Amino acid sequence: MAGRILLSRLALAGLLASASALPALAQDAQKGGTLRILGTEDLDHFDPISAALVTTNNFLRAVNRQLISYAASTDEVVRITPEGDLATEVPQPTNDGLTYTFKIRDGAMWNAPSGPRQITSEDVARGFERMCNPALGSAALTYYTGLVAGMNEFCDGFSKVEPTVAAMKAYINDNNISGIETPDPSTVVINLKQRAGDFIYMLSLATASPAPVEVLDFMPDSPEYRAAFIASGPYTPGTYTPDSSLQLVRNPAWKADSDPLRKAYVDEIQITFGLPVDSIMQQLQSGDGDMTYDVTIPPAILQTLAAAGDEKLMTVSSGNTNFIFINTVSANNNGALKDLKVRQALNYAVDKAAVVQQMGGPTIAKPVNGIFGLGVLGYHEFNLYPSPDAKGDPEKAKALLAEAGFPNGITLKMPFRNKGNEPAVAQTIQASMAKAGITLELTPVAPADYYSKFMTNPVNTKDGVWDISPVGWTPDWAGGSARSVFQPQFTFDGTHQTYNYTDYNNEKATALAQDAINATTPEEVGKLWGQVDELVMADAPVIPLIANLIVLYHGEAVQNFQPYSIGVQGDWTNVWLQR
């Protein structure tokens, strides 16, 4: 999730306190009750291989386990330190950094249809193999195909298979990834093609979860898959009504002594979707709800809570950045956005300071000028398109547009996610662009569709349905996470990646990134990723906007609210209720 997670309490309006409240003591923990989670939109996926939204990680934390994960904690060091989840420990690599050997915990079980069953090394291997299925693969696939020996070859073969249940099941049963060995049921050996200091962190992603053999009988993440979901975490899905509600109940196969990271105090978790943000906040304050699922707290409500010194208000920095992607693929305006000068003009035009204010002010957001967010190793202060006080330079933008052949300005299409304060942010961007002679035609898109159906559909990009589009990105894992920002969004090897909307590529930046991945000291890693950032921004494929703190809030009954780094939220599996 983040290169470095920062945590503090909002104690006064517009000011962050310097210390967090101490967590409730473990001996005070109370078991039982129903944790009520309130949200605006549904999960993107149940299937861990295809889950991509940060919020979905909290659901998967409750129902699913990985080889490696993190303890939920208000202690910054603890929160970003990898720990064994299914693995008994975090192993040290052998074979000059190329081989990792994991031992699976005894008693870690699947809630299989035939009864509880031990998770095995074959399940781990199967999880990797499912990542590149031709029906619905992993958005993070290239992290693994570039590292795990034999995985690229396995996936090349899988891509030629018909995307049917029978054909995909046969391919997985008849083939394997040569770099993944299963010498016995409790041992899995993963061999890499090159050293990678961040490989352990990658194993904390849900997409690298083991898979029970039964899932091969279903299309990935299909309604049938969801209905027959086989959990490994302390909870399992109960009643589910899409876009309305999801119930999680205790998983009878889960054993507390096999899981060092999840205490599972509450008996049930009830998630309600489709609620307005104002209603969610009212219910939390009145005691009719406990935690939020995907809520961005409106600035007015945030200021009120902060002014009251509400200790249930918390901020977490996840390395998140918000920027505007520029469509260099479409032929709109005779391909104007392919011209570097036009993209540079857009970077000069935006009033980032106004966006900061719209997000709630400088205590929870700050302007950024590169692709990396606060706390990510590689983030540094630089600005290739400077303006006084980050308010934009419309005259410089106009001059660049004129040089590019647009002396009278240009009209562009900008969709936005119709959620929270994002419509207001879109209007703020529209107003600042107008000062530079750039007219934005705004189009609202339903929150649940914005990424899953709109932005990730390459046909929309090619056909010019959008010209520029606001997006956000949170690093995929905690720790040294610059790769998880750069690789999925700013590299192209000939195969389209889900979140590199325009197939952007800079070969020199990609080569430097590889040097950064192989570097052995934090100083060298940070220096090289910083150079990568500057090379990317020289091409101006995006307009960086802000790095923001994620503001969290919970109800009075919630105790032991400890942030889980990858979910950027209090850990559902470790809170308890005091009603």
Side-chain angles (χ1 to χ4, degrees):
M1 289 306 308
R4 184 170 181 262
I5 309 295
L6 306 176
L7 183 69
S8 58
R9 293 279 184 183
L10 283 168
L12 298 173
L15 294 176
L16 295 178
S18 60
S20 300
L22 293 174
L25 298 176
Q27 61 263 32
D28 297 329
Q30 299 179 17
K31 286 199 170 186
T34 298
L35 179 67
R36 300 163 299 178
I37 310 287
L38 308 179
T40 65
E41 60 185 272
D42 203 344
L43 311 176
D44 61 338
H45 299 287
F46 277 36
D47 194 330
I49 60 164
S50 50
L53 296 182
V54 173
T55 48
T56 304
N57 287 330
N58 295 302
F59 159 73
L60 291 169
R61 169 76 159 186
V63 300
N64 193 254
R65 297 178 65 180
Q66 295 76 45
L67 284 173
I68 301 295
S69 191
Y70 307 92
S73 178
T74 51
D75 184 290
E76 180 181 331
V77 175
V78 171
R79 194 168 53 253
I80 65 172
T81 301
E83 293 192 22
D85 184 356
L86 289 173
T88 57
E89 63 180 352
V90 178
Q92 290 298 313
T94 56
N95 188 27
D96 197 26
L98 297 179
T99 300
Y100 290 80
T101 301
F102 300 88
K103 288 289 186 179
I104 298 173
R105 291 183 191 275
D106 184 48
M109 313 294 279
W110 293 117
N111 185 29
S114 58
R117 186 178 70 239
Q118 172 70 40
I119 297 170
T120 70
S121 57
E122 290 288 345
D123 298 323
V124 175
R126 188 179 301 110
F128 276 83
E129 291 162 0
R130 288 186 74 237
M131 277 194 217
C132 54
N133 77 82
L136 184 65
S138 169
L141 179 63
T142 56
Y143 294 147
Y144 305 93
T145 55
L147 274 181
V148 178
M151 189 163 178
N152 198 48
E153 293 78 5
F154 177 90
C155 291
D156 282 346
F158 213 168
S159 68
K160 300 176 177 65
V161 171
E162 186 179 359
T164 65
V165 170
M168 293 188 295
K169 180 178 181 178
Y171 185 81
I172 287 178
N173 285 336
D174 295 342
N175 297 273
N176 56 63
I177 299 170
S178 62
I180 300 180
E181 304 169 27
T182 55
D184 62 63
S186 65
T187 306
V188 60
V189 180
I190 302 177
N191 297 288
L192 306 185
K193 294 185 287 188
Q194 59 191 26
R195 286 179 296 173
D198 53 7
F199 179 64
I200 282 292
Y201 297 101
M202 293 181 199
L203 297 178
S204 70
L205 301 188
T207 197
S209 300
V213 66
E214 290 89 348
V215 301
L216 300 184
D217 292 324
F218 306 104
M219 287 294 286
D221 205 42
S222 62
E224 295 78 13
Y225 172 95
R226 295 183 176 199
F229 191 91
I230 298 176
S232 56
Y235 300 95
T236 189
T239 303
Y240 173 55
T241 304
D243 299 315
S244 178
S245 64
L246 170 63
Q247 175 197 41
L248 302 181
V249 298
R250 287 197 181 276
N251 173 6
W254 178 78
K255 297 181 179 180
D257 59 4
S258 78
D259 192 336
L261 302 177
R262 303 163 185 84
K263 298 299 184 183
Y265 293 115
V266 300
D267 287 335
E268 183 177 315
I269 301 171
Q270 182 67 44
I271 313 168
T272 303
F273 305 114
L275 299 175
V277 173
D278 287 350
S279 174
I280 291 171
M281 296 304 297
Q282 289 169 6
Q283 290 185 60
L284 262 61
Q285 290 176 278
S286 67
D288 294 323
D290 297 314
M291 289 172 59
T292 65
Y293 177 66
D294 60 349
V295 170
T296 299
I297 301 176
I301 296 177
L302 175 61
Q303 291 168 8
T304 300
L305 295 172
D310 195 323
E311 292 187 351
K312 299 186 296 299
L313 200 61
M314 180 182 287
T315 61
V316 180
S317 173
S318 60
N320 171 275
T321 49
N322 290 272
F323 41 82
I324 300 173
F325 233 98
I326 301 174
N327 186 350
T328 56
V329 176
S330 88
N332 289 355
N333 294 296
N334 294 316
L337 297 181
K338 301 177 191 294
D339 190 326
L340 177 60
K341 289 183 178 178
V342 175
R343 301 197 301 275
Q344 291 174 331
L346 295 177
N347 270 274
Y348 277 110
V350 174
D351 184 345
K352 299 179 185 181
V355 174
V356 167
Q357 289 303 315
Q358 191 63 59
M359 292 297 293
T363 56
I364 61 171
K366 67 168 291 183
V368 291
N369 306 301
I371 65 174
F372 298 130
L374 300 173
V376 174
L377 199 57
Y379 170 85
H380 65 298
E381 296 286 350
F382 77 101
N383 194 352
L384 302 185
Y385 312 104
S387 65
D389 300 320
K391 293 182 177 179
D393 188 340
E395 296 306 315
K396 178 69 171 178
K398 287 179 181 178
L400 284 165
L401 286 174
E403 290 178 29
F406 296 92
N408 300 316
I410 191 171
T411 298
L412 301 174
K413 297 181 233 179
M414 190 179 89
F416 62 91
R417 187 166 58 164
N418 195 16
K419 173 184 176 182
N421 66 347
E422 293 181 45
V425 171
Q427 292 170 2
T428 300
I429 295 168
Q430 182 186 46
S432 64
M433 290 279 195
K435 295 177 182 178
I438 301 165
T439 301
L440 295 188
E441 297 175 348
L442 301 182
T443 303
V445 179
D449 295 340
Y450 189 71
Y451 288 106
S452 63
K453 296 179 182 177
F454 189 87
M455 288 303 299
T456 56
N457 184 348
V459 175
N460 289 341
T461 305
K462 183 177 180 181
D463 290 351
V465 175
W466 62 277
D467 292 310
I468 63 174
S469 187
V471 297
W473 190 264
T474 300
D476 285 325
W477 57 78
S481 56
R483 181 212 290 255
S484 76
V485 177
F486 174 73
Q487 187 169 318
Q489 297 180 103
F490 301 104
T491 64
F492 179 66
D493 62 1
T495 301
H496 177 72
Q497 293 199 90
T498 305
Y499 297 102
N500 184 353
Y501 307 110
T502 61
D503 294 337
Y504 169 79
N505 190 48
N506 180 312
E507 292 183 1
K508 186 175 180 181
T510 300
L512 268 178
Q514 190 57 59
D515 291 341
I517 290 166
N518 292 334
T520 56
T521 67
E523 293 77 15
E524 186 68 10
V525 169
K527 176 183 176 182
L528 289 168
W529 280 120
Q531 293 173 10
V532 169
D533 199 349
E534 295 190 26
L535 282 171
V536 170
M537 285 313 305
D539 290 337
V542 296
I543 307 164
L545 290 175
I546 60 167
N548 59 283
L549 297 172
I550 307 300
V551 183
L552 306 176
Y553 188 72
H554 61 82
E556 188 73 35
V558 175
Q559 306 297 309
N560 199 43
F561 189 86
Q562 304 285 302
Y564 166 50
S565 58
I566 292 183
V568 198
Q569 181 57 269
D571 186 356
W572 303 354
T573 70
N574 281 298
V575 300
W576 69 79
L577 302 173
Q578 192 173 63
R579 300 203 193 279

